Amino acid sequence: MDGSLVDWSDAKIHIGAHVVHYGSGVFEGARCYDTEQGPAVFRLDTHIRRLYDSAKIYRMDYNLSPAELQDAVLDTIRANHYRACYIRPLMYRGYDSLGVNPFSCPVEAAILVWEWGAYLGDDALERGVDVQISSWGRGAPNRFPSVSKSTANYANAQLIKMEATLNGYAEGIALDPRGFVSEGSGQNIFVVRDNILTTPPLADSILPGITRDVVITLAKELGFMVKEETVPRETLYIADEVFFTGTAAEISPVRSIDKISIGGGSRGPITEAIQNQFFDVVNGRTQDTHGWLTYVYTEDNASERRATVTSETS
Ligand SMILES: Cc1ncc(COP(=O)(O)O)c(C=O)c1O
C-alpha cells in the first residue's frame, strides 16, 4: 500500500476515505501464470496502462510512474512467493473531506495479490455456462465512461450479477442503452456464426478488455475473420457459439442464454481452438511472439527466487 508491504490483515483504509462513499477508485485485474520458465504476468504493461488511463479520465494523479507501479506489482508477487495468482492494483481517493468534490482527497494506491482459480466455476471452461440477458442495462456513454475501469461502474455490475445469481444463472449479459449487446458483468462477449467472430465495439458501453484484444489477435492468427460490430440481442440466440473473455473468466463458453441452447449446447470447436491457443500463450507453452509475458524473476532477482524455492521445499 503506497510503497510499503503490508500484512493482509493490516491493509486498511479510513472509513472516511472518499472512495468508500462515492466510488472514487479505479482498478485493474491481471493474472500471473505459473509457466515452465517461471511465474509470469500476462500483459502487465497493458493492464498498468489501462489503470493510468482509467485514473486520467477521473482526474486522478498518482505519484508513481506506470513503470514504478509495474515494478511494485512484481515485488508484491515475489513477497508472497506466489507462482500463480490474481493481481488487483487499485488507485483510490483517500480521506480528507467528505464533500462530493474529490480534489482535496489524496490519491492512494494498493496492490492485492491472491490465489484465484476459475472465476465461473471449475467446469465452466470446458462445459460452458448458462446465462441470461439482464434486465439491467449498461450506463449510457455520457453517464459512466465504460472505458475507465472505475469502481463506480461495478455498482451496475453487481446488479447484473446478483440478478443472474438469484435466477440460477452463472452470469448476466447487459445490453447497451439502445438495447444492443454490450458485455457481461465482468467479461466481454464474442459471437460466432458461420466461422466469423463478432464482438461489440467500444462505443457499445464496453470495457476495452485486454483478453478481448488477445482473442481478436489470436483468432486472426488462426485464420478467422473477426468483426467489431454492434450485436443485436437476437443474434446471440441463433449463434453457433458464444463465449466470454476476461482476465478472471479467461475464455468461458456460453452454452445457453435465456434457456435457449447455443449451437450444440456445449463448448464449440472455434471456442476450443481459441482457448487452446490462449492457454498455450499464457502458460508460456508457445513462443511469446507478442511480448505478452513479464517474468517475475529475472537474472537480477534470481537469488530471491532461490530463496522462495528453498522455503517451499523446507
Ligand atoms: C466490465 C468488464 N468487462 C470486460 C472485462 C474483461 O476485461 P479484461 O479482459 O481486460 O480482464 C472486465 C474485467 O476486467 C470487466 O470488468
Side-chain angles (χ1 to χ4, degrees):
M1 287 181 92
D2 278 322
S4 313
L5 287 163
V6 177
D7 276 347
W8 188 265
S9 54
D10 297 328
K12 295 173 183 162
I13 59 169
H14 195 277
I15 190 62
H18 198 270
V19 63
V20 177
H21 301 259
Y22 304 121
S24 39
V26 294
F27 69 103
E28 267 309 312
R31 270 189 194 268
C32 173
Y33 287 90
D34 184 11
T35 79
E36 276 164 28
Q37 298 77 251
V41 182
F42 188 58
R43 303 209 62 178
L44 178 58
D45 50 348
T46 316
H47 280 283
I48 297 299
R49 183 178 184 206
R50 190 172 64 183
L51 180 69
Y52 279 76
D53 287 346
S54 298
K56 187 172 186 187
I57 291 167
Y58 280 94
R59 303 173 192 272
M60 296 167 82
D61 278 324
Y62 188 60
N63 62 7
L64 286 187
S65 68
E68 288 168 320
L69 202 82
Q70 198 166 310
D71 285 343
V73 167
L74 299 172
D75 284 344
T76 312
I77 298 170
R78 287 193 285 264
N80 284 278
H81 306 307
Y82 284 140
R83 299 197 60 84
C85 60
Y86 185 82
I87 305 156
R88 168 60 53 80
L90 177 74
M91 273 183 204
Y92 53 93
R93 304 265 190 191
Y95 173 61
D96 179 71
S97 69
L98 275 173
V100 170
N101 179 352
F103 285 133
S104 67
C105 299
V107 176
E108 297 168 355
I111 299 160
L112 292 75
V113 294
W114 70 90
E115 288 174 306
W116 209 9
Y119 179 71
L120 293 174
D122 286 338
D123 286 358
L125 295 176
E126 212 176 306
R127 299 185 50 200
V129 289
D130 301 309
V131 308
Q132 68 165 148
I133 303 291
S134 184
S135 68
W136 295 102
R138 280 280 178 226
N142 60 344
R143 305 295 191 280
F144 290 94
S146 65
V147 166
S148 178
K149 194 170 164 64
S150 155
T151 57
N153 289 356
Y154 290 80
N156 172 253
Q158 288 176 65
L159 292 169
I160 296 162
K161 188 75 182 186
M162 287 190 291
E163 179 187 58
T165 306
L166 291 173
N167 287 339
Y169 296 102
E171 256 305 337
I173 297 170
L175 305 179
D176 77 2
R178 302 163 305 164
F180 294 113
V181 174
S182 180
E183 60 181 347
S185 69
Q187 308 85 11
N188 294 112
I189 193 164
F190 283 77
V191 184
V192 184
R193 184 157 156 125
D194 296 337
N195 296 328
I196 297 171
L197 284 78
T198 309
T199 192
L202 290 200
D204 295 359
S205 293
I206 65 162
L207 179 77
I210 293 166
T211 321
R212 174 184 179 275
D213 177 66
V214 168
V215 165
I216 291 172
T217 305
L218 296 180
K220 285 182 181 166
E221 286 174 1
L222 286 169
F224 294 108
M225 184 189 281
V226 185
K227 295 184 191 167
E228 291 181 64
E229 235 173 61
T230 292
V231 174
R233 169 180 182 163
E234 60 275 23
T235 62
L236 294 177
Y237 301 130
I238 57 172
D240 298 328
E241 303 179 30
V242 173
F243 60 88
F244 282 135
T245 65
T247 298
E250 297 171 310
I251 294 170
S252 299
V254 172
R255 65 180 178 196
S256 77
I257 303 173
D258 293 338
K259 303 201 191 303
I260 298 177
S261 187
I262 304 303
S266 60
R267 176 175 63 187
I270 293 179
T271 308
E272 188 175 355
I274 291 171
Q275 259 184 347
N276 288 340
Q277 196 73 6
F278 174 80
F279 284 113
D280 281 350
V281 172
V282 297
N283 289 305
R285 293 192 290 258
T286 52
Q287 187 145 22
D288 181 17
T289 51
H290 301 283
W292 282 341
L293 294 173
T294 301
Y295 286 92
V296 176
Y297 297 99
T298 58
E299 289 294 301
D300 294 342
N301 54 42
S303 56
E304 284 179 60
R305 179 187 194 174
R306 279 194 290 276
T308 305
V309 172
T310 316
S311 71
E312 275 167 4
T313 50
S314 59

